[in-house]
Amino acid sequence: MFIEDHDELIARKYFKFANGVGLTAIGLAATAIRFEHPEPIAWFFLTVISIWVFWNGADYRKIVVSYLRRYPGVLNTVKLALRVGIFMLGVTLLSGIALKHITLESIYAALGFL
């Protein structure tokens, strides 16, 4: 069995937390899109999600520079981004709704319901 170093344990814990918040963000996006004017609600949810993730990332912020140096290059950057893919999806959905790029009508059209 391999023993991970301290930085990797901190990163893994934070990424797991961020993806859990991402699942919440996806649910909040699904809730916001149902309102007549979802943009202000999506902005509010996006603000809360951002504060929540930042507030709980103190340990990760302490090691982030040294941790990112371990993964140089584009492919490693993509690999790290995929480790928080669920979080990124949730934030992208909320951002799309807040910026009026994602609407209920566009979702219905994409699914072929219109």
Side-chain angles (χ1 to χ4, degrees):
M1 181 172 176
F2 294 103
I3 299 174
E4 294 178 320
D5 66 352
H6 183 66
D7 291 353
E8 186 64 39
L9 290 173
I10 290 172
R12 183 187 303 244
K13 180 180 172 187
Y14 184 68
F15 294 159
K16 183 178 179 180
F17 166 75
N19 281 325
V21 173
L23 286 174
T24 303
I26 292 169
L28 292 173
T31 301
I33 197 75
R34 302 298 299 171
F35 286 90
E36 185 175 345
H37 299 287
E39 299 86 14
I41 297 163
W43 279 116
F44 173 75
F45 288 158
L46 192 59
T47 302
V48 170
I49 291 292
S50 298
I51 291 170
W52 188 14
V53 168
F54 182 78
W55 193 269
N56 286 294
D59 290 339
Y60 183 69
R61 282 193 305 276
K62 291 176 186 173
I63 60 122
V64 70
V65 173
S66 64
Y67 187 74
L68 292 178
R69 283 188 191 140
R70 296 180 188 184
Y71 299 95
V74 176
L75 290 178
N76 283 324
T77 302
V78 170
K79 189 190 287 187
L80 279 176
L82 290 176
R83 288 181 71 182
V84 288
I86 298 170
F87 173 76
M88 292 175 64
L89 175 63
V91 168
T92 301
L93 289 172
L94 280 174
S95 298
I97 294 167
L99 296 171
K100 298 182 184 181
H101 294 299
I102 300 174
T103 62
L104 199 54
E105 292 78 21
S106 68
I107 293 171
Y108 286 156
L111 295 175
F113 291 135
L114 291 180

